[in-house]
Amino acid sequence: MAELILVNGRLWTQDSRYPNATGVAIRDGRVLAVGDDDEVLSVAGGGARVIDLGGRRVLPGLVDAHFHFKGWALARRRLRLAGLPSLAAAQDAVREAARATPPGRWILGQGWSETNWPERRFLTAADLDAVAPEHPVFLWRSDLHLAVANSLALRLARITAQTPDPPAGAIDRDGTGRPTGVLRDEAMNLVDALLPEESAAEVDAAMAEAIGEAHRLGLTGVHDFRSVEAEEGRAAWEAWQRLWGRDALQLRVWAMISGAALDEAIALGLRTGFGDDRLRMGGIKLYADGSLGARTAWMMEPYRDGGSGLPIAPMEEIAVKMARAHAAGIAVGIHAIGDRAIHELLEVFAEVLPRVVQADEGARPGQGRGTSEGRATAYRVQPSGVPHRIEHVQHSHPQDLRRVGELGLVASVQPMHLVDDMGLVERAVGERARWAYAFRTLQEGGAVLALGSDCPVADPNPFRGIHAAVTRQQPGGVPAGGWFGEERLTVAEAVAGYTLGPAYASGQRHKLGSLSPGKLADLVVLDRDIFAVPPEEIGATEVVMTVFDGEAVYER
């Protein structure tokens, strides 16, 4: 019999068998029954908790398909610079932090972006020296592909005019060759290596607090992505396991590992999907390029202000790792933002995956050889049963957009980036902006969309993400009709991107993504019906209740 029953609701089940359900019954962390109120009340146990939802809208639990959870958890305890209106405001925030911090202690912050500042330029060491000369300061830009250090931090890291640019990184310099304080991609590691490490207890406490905030936002799961550095990934994995061991992991975590750890994962026999319903290994993350804001996204044509970006790793190296991971049953998620990076990756997928599958064909029945149907199956079916994916897919050549679906890849995209970056994109690439964040074209080409935030790069609120995908507008309705409005998604499609899409991307459609009998009992109750309110109001949606694993973990 049921332990928790919700009635008098409006359920968006995403199960065609229950299009008009008003109630759901839950037992042992699973959906027991879905239907009208009488049907679900008929299975009530003697001590069942019955909640009248008052006609509120109910969705399956929302999953953010691209999250940096440990980074977000710790960033919530650091100087928060997102949304500041100007460079001067960022300086004011650092000045206040310096007043509250003993001299010589690090001031760390992140989230700043010059995109909408009147100054339209990066922070520099000189800007930070003016407000915090006695503290080493290190501030990450919102995209986490660029950071600025003040002069004291540069001295501690021994970064001088003679310091060479590291591979896949750049140290910005002024006209005399002196570092400006701006460090791009791998150059950030020169300062990262000096930063004080948080204790295990501090990390666990920060992550536990962040799980509670995730529930408030309606998130019941995340696809957690590792840093390019294996050490960062190891620390996050250890934290997840400590929380899991204390039964404090109230979140479904699909945890990626660094591509640098591929050999160790293969040697241990690990494969995608290992774990339980709260913590599973997702696969490896690789990097093809950097970011648009840092001008390190790898583009086919130069940026309007010069340069074409750069690859983080040679495609030959990525191809080797992809082939080895695929053969070992380990899914691959590859960061690719620029159109050149995406094109080159699609070429690698098309070359590597069929060859790997055909070499293993004798042991894997049902994969045809030499037919178009067989090739399609080879692209789609991985040894782990989980599809490979491209992360971000921000700037694509129009001829490549449909190839993502043809190759059976998941497009892991982040709608909030288009809201944050539309002005930046137009300034950087001009008319090529038409093919940025092309969600509709990707979906019509057959790609499964898994929506996320890239938090802490962008706001993790999924309803702001849905608003961005549906309207392609900034708050206030700008621009009218949406930024390249032909690429908008419907509300139903955007909700699927936070539910069915992540479930498919993690090979868990049989457990997650819809409110169906037998599936895991994760759901959220909203303060408004996002399918009925004007689209511009979706971003203001608040969660009334979050149910995870059959228990109400958040109630407003």
Side-chain angles (χ1 to χ4, degrees):
M1 305 301 283
E3 301 161 343
L4 175 64
I5 296 180
L6 308 182
V7 297
N8 191 22
R10 302 181 68 192
L11 275 63
W12 187 259
T13 64
Q14 296 191 137
D15 186 328
S16 60
R17 298 172 296 174
Y18 311 100
N20 301 306
T22 59
V24 57
I26 296 169
R27 181 179 67 192
D28 296 331
R30 300 267 180 171
V31 175
L32 178 63
V34 180
D36 62 33
D37 291 354
D38 291 338
E39 288 174 313
V40 299
L41 287 170
S42 70
V43 298
R49 181 186 181 191
V50 179
I51 300 176
D52 187 326
L53 297 178
R56 295 192 184 279
R57 176 60 76 184
V58 181
L59 304 179
L62 303 176
V63 176
D64 189 306
H66 191 112
F67 214 105
H68 301 272
F69 202 89
K70 176 174 172 281
W72 177 54
L74 295 175
R76 286 164 46 82
R77 296 184 166 197
R78 293 173 179 164
L79 188 59
R80 303 188 198 183
L81 303 172
L84 293 180
S86 65
L87 185 150
Q91 285 182 297
D92 289 342
V94 174
R95 181 184 291 109
E96 290 301 313
R99 289 172 178 166
T101 304
R105 294 272 186 90
W106 282 88
I107 295 175
L108 305 176
Q110 67 189 65
W112 64 272
S113 174
E114 81 295 342
T115 301
N116 296 314
W117 288 354
E119 295 90 349
R120 292 282 175 85
R121 68 171 178 85
F122 295 146
L123 285 161
T124 65
D127 296 324
L128 302 181
D129 293 344
V131 293
E134 299 180 350
H135 301 78
V137 182
F138 195 53
L139 308 178
W140 290 271
R141 190 181 181 275
S142 60
D143 60 4
L144 301 181
H145 285 267
L146 181 150
V148 60
N150 72 344
S151 294
L152 179 52
L154 291 174
R155 287 197 299 273
L156 291 172
R158 298 182 179 180
I159 298 174
T160 68
Q162 288 71 46
T163 304
D165 287 347
I171 301 169
D172 281 19
R173 307 169 197 271
D174 63 19
T176 68
R178 296 177 57 191
T180 66
V182 173
L183 306 174
R184 302 175 191 249
D185 283 303
E186 295 299 286
M188 296 187 296
N189 292 335
L190 300 173
V191 175
D192 278 340
L194 303 177
L195 301 183
E197 290 189 16
E198 297 83 2
S199 69
E202 290 172 328
V203 172
D204 292 357
M207 290 179 68
E209 290 174 6
I211 288 173
E213 177 65 7
H215 292 158
R216 188 186 70 81
L217 296 174
L219 294 173
T220 57
V222 295
H223 292 188
D224 188 32
F225 278 77
R226 294 285 137 287
S227 164
V228 70
E229 293 298 324
E231 183 64 23
E232 169 70 11
R234 181 187 63 79
W237 260 102
E238 289 177 344
W240 284 130
Q241 290 179 84
R242 289 192 298 268
L243 293 172
W244 177 89
R246 297 200 301 268
D247 198 26
L249 183 49
Q250 303 294 304
L251 201 65
R252 305 206 189 279
V253 181
W254 182 256
M256 304 293 282
I257 64 175
S258 168
L262 176 61
D263 290 344
E264 289 84 353
I266 293 175
L268 287 171
L270 294 177
R271 60 187 290 153
T272 289
F274 174 76
D276 65 8
D277 288 332
R278 301 203 182 196
L279 179 59
R280 291 185 186 274
M281 174 180 158
I284 63 166
K285 182 182 182 182
L286 302 174
Y287 283 79
D289 66 348
S291 76
L292 192 79
R295 297 299 192 273
T296 52
W298 194 19
M299 306 297 287
M300 291 184 178
E301 299 177 25
Y303 294 106
R304 296 175 75 184
D305 49 3
S308 299
L310 71 161
I312 292 290
M315 279 295 147
E316 295 80 4
E317 178 182 319
I318 288 176
V320 169
K321 287 190 174 183
M322 185 190 300
R324 296 190 68 232
H326 180 93
I330 298 175
V332 178
I334 306 182
H335 167 116
I337 287 181
D339 55 9
R340 174 74 182 275
I342 293 167
H343 177 79
E344 296 292 340
L345 273 183
L346 293 174
E347 292 295 303
V348 170
F349 273 117
E351 286 294 321
V352 169
L353 298 187
R355 184 170 65 245
V356 171
V357 171
Q358 289 168 7
D360 192 35
E361 208 168 29
R364 299 183 60 76
Q367 294 177 347
R369 183 192 295 270
T371 66
S372 60
E373 181 179 355
R375 284 195 296 273
T377 301
Y379 286 137
R380 291 182 180 277
V381 179
Q382 315 305 337
S384 64
V386 175
H388 299 304
R389 47 199 282 175
I390 299 179
E391 305 303 316
H392 308 307
V393 204
Q394 286 185 8
H395 309 280
S396 301
H397 190 280
Q399 294 179 359
D400 284 331
L401 284 165
R402 295 185 180 274
R403 295 185 68 199
V404 177
E406 291 171 358
L407 290 167
L409 305 173
V410 169
S412 174
V413 298
Q414 298 77 44
M416 281 301 296
H417 285 333
L418 75 89
V419 171
D420 294 337
D421 290 351
M422 58 179 68
L424 167 67
V425 173
E426 290 179 351
R427 291 193 296 273
V429 301
E431 62 184 18
R432 288 178 286 159
R434 163 63 184 88
W435 300 108
Y437 307 99
F439 303 153
R440 167 65 55 196
T441 302
L442 280 166
Q443 182 167 269
E444 289 180 349
V448 172
L449 301 184
L451 272 55
S453 64
D454 201 12
C455 179
V457 175
D459 190 329
N461 187 320
F463 299 100
R464 293 176 184 167
I466 292 171
H467 169 270
V470 170
T471 67
R472 296 179 70 93
Q473 292 176 325
Q474 296 174 331
V478 178
W483 189 63
F484 301 108
E486 58 269 35
E487 295 293 343
R488 289 176 298 189
L489 300 179
T490 67
V491 178
E493 289 167 339
V495 169
Y498 278 99
T499 51
L500 292 171
Y504 173 81
S506 58
Q508 298 184 91
R509 283 286 296 270
H510 62 297
K511 290 186 176 183
L512 297 169
S514 67
L515 296 175
S516 305
K519 288 195 174 184
L520 296 170
D522 300 345
L523 59 86
V524 290
V525 182
L526 311 183
D527 71 343
R528 69 197 69 192
D529 186 352
I530 61 174
F531 299 97
V533 300
E536 58 268 22
E537 296 181 15
I538 293 174
T541 300
E542 294 188 1
V543 172
V544 175
M545 176 185 291
T546 299
V547 173
F548 171 79
D549 213 34
E551 296 184 10
V553 292
Y554 170 77
E555 295 183 65
R556 192 175 67 175

